[in-house]
Amino acid sequence: MWLVLLTWLVILLPLGAFAWFKKRFRFWSDRGVEFIEPELPYGNFKTLGKVEHIAPITKRHYEYFKTKGVPYGGVFMLSSPLLYILDVKLIKTLLVKDFGYFPNRGVYFNERDDPLSAHMFAIEGQKWKTLRNKLSPTFTSGRIKMTFPLVVEVCKQFCDHLEEVVQGVNEVEMHDLLSRYTIDVIGTCAFGIECNSFRDPDNEFRRYGKIAFDKLPHSPLVVYLMKAFRKYANALGMKMLHEDVSSFFSNVVRDTIDYREKNNVVRNDFMDLLLKLKNTGRLEEAGEEIGKLSFDEIAAQAFIFFNAGFDTSSTAMTYTLYELALNREAQEKARKCVLDIFAANGGQLTYESVANMGYLDQCISETLRKHPPVAILERNADKDYRIPDTDLVIAKGRKIMVPIFAMHHDAEHFPDPEAYKPERFSPEEVAKRDPYCYLPFGEGPRICIGMRFGQIQARVGLANLLRRFRFSVCDRTQIPVKYSRTNFILGPANGVWLKVEKL
């Protein structure tokens, strides 16, 4: 009897699972939406994290839907329906005009068991809105200007170190070095700590930062399931961060706060601003009441500022040097731009001169087009939403995706998209394009809050590097560059080796 039941279970369970998947996979066809035929059980993302990053996967999907001439198209992540948004006017509507329907990214966080994961990039609803309002004043131009001398000083140390390195060997892995630069900048500006990554490349900040990004505690599949079933994952106490990473950053923030408060230390950096909010709820003694921050809120924001800032900026700078090494004419033009700025300011960089660097800015923008730090934008529907002028309703909880990497490589928006052409970002060319086909920092109310600081950090670094060094390809340069398959950021899988010559 038991053998018969077991036999039937062995037969019926796979058949039942197959029937369930087939029914789920009819989701888009039942709604008359163009879709890509999924595979059991992965849906349309079979190779994600196994052999490639999500960027090329979404590019193939995008190209398929472009041949169909549709403004949106359906795919499946495992069995869950996912809607690509392709039309730039519809993207603007969803990210800006109708932001209230799609206010959340759907990123996994666990405020109870993993408080550092409850940072502004991840949290949702009124908590996000309140925190964004509290922190936005700390990222104004005036506030960032106060940290400018700190950035310049770290950059000088970085260039001096690179000069020593190239005296011995002129082939340098630039992604590693630039990561040390951005770690030292953010360590100084966010924590008031001299990380000294040039002399001590295995310091704790760098070590734990690499673990946080490169050695995730879960596979991409498990992360997706945690996001899709967050309530259950939270109940099970699942975390996005390694325990030692959380402990390290929490202890650093606690020690920094204790030291500054006991010794009345003022450094005019971001930690000072967070401390003012913690203690008074104001950024100025007689200023507007913004609201107090808890320790956990300060620690979480310091953590995301560090991790998001160091990897995105170092990657963008690395790819800029890589592209300029391949395009010597563009490199010389960028160098002339930089030298003219230094000459006009007595051999120094000022905050005002860095705010607009002409051709170098165009080079950075073109780099962010070819290699955007984040390949996709994700949003979750917070309530049922009918797409304008259609009968399609995106139900509450469903996910939409804007394929940034794919759009940036669309010949309709950027002719000859694989070529590196900084001239695309001259004021005249920018004015001709719809701005919503270029979204390296996102858009709408959830646009990257640290965008201005990241731009300053990259401009200062690249300007000083081009002033003092020439970059070219060498035998170890991987052309084309290959992307890491596991990092959420679009980072190089094998680093970026370049020949570096002191000028």
Side-chain angles (χ1 to χ4, degrees):
M1 180 66 178
W2 288 108
L3 184 60
V4 172
L5 286 174
L6 184 61
T7 302
W8 277 109
L9 280 174
V10 170
I11 295 171
L12 292 176
L13 281 177
L15 287 175
F18 178 78
W20 183 82
F21 269 101
K22 293 297 285 185
K23 182 180 179 182
R24 293 281 290 177
F25 286 163
R26 289 200 302 268
F27 182 90
W28 293 122
S29 62
D30 289 346
R31 288 158 177 76
V33 174
E34 186 70 47
F35 72 101
I36 301 174
E37 197 68 41
E39 295 182 50
L40 281 169
Y42 302 99
N44 300 103
F45 293 86
K46 183 177 181 179
T47 57
L48 177 60
K50 296 179 179 178
V51 296
E52 59 185 342
H53 192 274
I54 197 171
I57 299 174
T58 57
K59 186 170 181 283
R60 291 195 295 272
H61 294 167
Y62 180 88
E63 289 167 350
Y64 171 86
F65 290 123
K66 287 288 286 188
T67 64
K68 301 297 182 180
V70 294
Y72 48 78
V75 291
F76 295 87
M77 179 73 82
L78 298 179
S79 64
S80 295
L82 172 68
L83 190 69
Y84 279 107
I85 308 298
L86 314 173
D87 178 76
V88 290
K89 290 183 172 55
L90 183 56
I91 289 170
K92 180 180 180 180
T93 297
L94 300 182
L95 295 183
V96 182
K97 179 175 176 288
D98 291 336
F99 170 79
Y101 287 89
F102 299 94
N104 304 319
R105 290 191 172 98
V107 175
Y108 181 80
F109 65 97
N110 184 337
E111 201 165 2
R112 182 193 65 193
D113 302 299
D114 196 13
L116 288 194
S117 69
H119 45 68
M120 193 163 51
F121 186 84
I123 61 172
E124 301 176 347
Q126 187 59 43
K127 282 189 176 181
W128 167 79
K129 188 175 181 179
T130 301
L131 187 61
R132 178 90 183 197
N133 289 338
K134 289 178 182 177
L135 292 179
S136 290
T138 69
F139 285 94
T140 61
S141 297
R143 304 285 179 191
I144 294 172
K145 185 176 181 179
M146 292 193 299
T147 67
F148 184 75
L150 301 175
V151 178
V152 171
E153 177 57 31
V154 172
C155 189
K156 182 182 182 304
Q157 295 172 16
F158 168 52
C159 290
D160 289 346
H161 174 72
L162 181 57
E163 188 170 320
E164 292 178 18
V165 169
V166 298
Q167 287 177 0
V169 58
N170 63 5
E171 292 185 2
V172 181
E173 203 287 276
M174 290 306 301
H175 187 235
D176 173 77
L177 271 181
L178 285 164
S179 293
R180 297 193 225 169
Y181 162 64
T182 54
I183 282 173
D184 278 18
V185 167
I186 296 174
T188 298
C189 294
F191 297 92
I193 294 174
E194 293 185 14
C195 302
N196 199 20
S197 298
F198 310 124
R199 305 298 175 190
D200 180 16
D202 198 36
N203 69 71
E204 288 186 304
F205 266 91
R206 186 159 185 267
R207 183 150 40 91
Y208 285 113
K210 286 174 69 68
I211 292 172
F213 263 105
D214 296 339
K215 297 180 181 179
L216 300 177
H218 309 290
S219 69
L221 174 60
V222 172
V223 170
Y224 171 76
L225 291 172
M226 289 164 64
K227 289 161 60 177
F229 304 102
R230 191 173 74 211
K231 183 170 71 173
Y232 301 105
N234 278 183
L236 292 171
M238 297 187 73
K239 302 179 181 182
M240 277 298 292
L241 302 174
H242 290 279
E243 192 66 47
D244 53 349
V245 172
S246 293
S247 296
F248 170 74
F249 280 98
S250 293
N251 289 336
V252 166
V253 173
R254 185 175 287 105
D255 292 345
T256 301
I257 290 174
D258 289 346
Y259 178 79
R260 292 193 184 196
E261 291 184 339
K262 288 176 182 175
N263 296 279
N264 296 315
V265 174
V266 177
R267 283 181 51 93
N268 289 325
D269 57 14
F270 290 118
M271 186 59 75
D272 270 358
L273 299 176
L274 295 177
L275 281 175
K276 287 177 182 178
L277 291 178
K278 169 183 171 289
N279 294 325
T280 68
R282 292 181 169 88
L283 291 174
E284 304 293 345
E285 191 172 335
E288 178 188 355
E289 175 71 35
I290 296 172
K292 291 188 176 183
L293 292 177
S294 68
F295 170 78
D296 282 346
E297 286 176 324
I298 289 178
Q301 305 336 304
F303 169 75
I304 193 61
F305 181 52
F306 175 82
N307 276 292
F310 100 77
D311 208 22
T312 53
S313 292
S314 62
T315 299
M317 293 170 68
T318 299
Y319 287 141
T320 300
L321 294 178
Y322 166 78
E323 294 290 352
L324 292 177
L326 291 168
N327 297 269
R328 296 298 292 272
E329 185 178 342
Q331 183 178 161
E332 292 306 321
K333 193 171 179 180
R335 182 171 291 109
K336 181 180 184 307
C337 164
V338 166
L339 293 175
D340 288 347
I341 290 171
F342 273 100
N345 291 277
Q348 303 294 321
L349 281 183
T350 65
Y351 180 80
E352 289 71 23
S353 67
V354 170
N356 182 5
M357 301 198 77
Y359 190 75
L360 180 59
D361 279 347
Q362 293 176 213
C363 292
I364 297 171
S365 295
E366 174 68 343
T367 297
L368 293 173
R369 180 196 68 80
K370 283 195 71 176
H371 314 280
V374 179
I376 57 171
L377 286 181
E378 296 178 282
R379 295 289 187 271
N380 280 8
D382 203 42
K383 45 193 170 184
D384 290 356
Y385 179 81
R386 184 182 299 277
I387 292 184
D389 304 318
T390 76
D391 294 326
L392 180 62
V393 173
I394 302 174
K396 179 180 178 179
R398 295 284 176 212
K399 186 180 289 294
I400 62 170
M401 182 187 289
V402 179
I404 295 174
F405 179 86
M407 290 170 58
H408 286 190
H409 289 77
D410 183 347
E412 181 182 339
H413 302 310
F414 303 97
D416 194 11
E418 298 309 314
Y420 184 76
K421 298 180 179 180
E423 291 73 19
R424 299 182 205 272
F425 290 91
S426 67
E428 299 77 20
E429 290 299 314
V430 170
K432 296 177 185 177
R433 281 193 304 270
D434 190 300
Y436 284 82
C437 69
Y438 177 71
L439 302 171
F441 300 101
E443 193 48 86
R446 289 202 84 137
I447 193 170
C448 175
I449 194 172
M451 176 177 68
R452 284 196 193 97
F453 183 81
Q455 289 173 327
I456 292 295
Q457 180 178 223
R459 288 166 177 165
V460 170
L462 289 169
N464 280 282
L465 286 170
L466 290 170
R467 183 193 189 197
R468 295 175 61 172
F469 305 96
R470 179 174 287 110
F471 300 88
S472 54
V473 297
C474 60
D475 291 340
R476 301 178 74 176
T477 308
Q478 190 172 59
I479 306 173
V481 67
K482 291 185 179 179
Y483 299 129
S484 167
R485 61 183 174 81
T486 57
N487 195 335
F488 179 70
I489 301 298
L490 199 66
N494 305 304
V496 172
W497 287 87
L498 296 176
K499 181 180 178 183
V500 184
E501 301 170 87
K502 182 180 180 300
L503 292 173

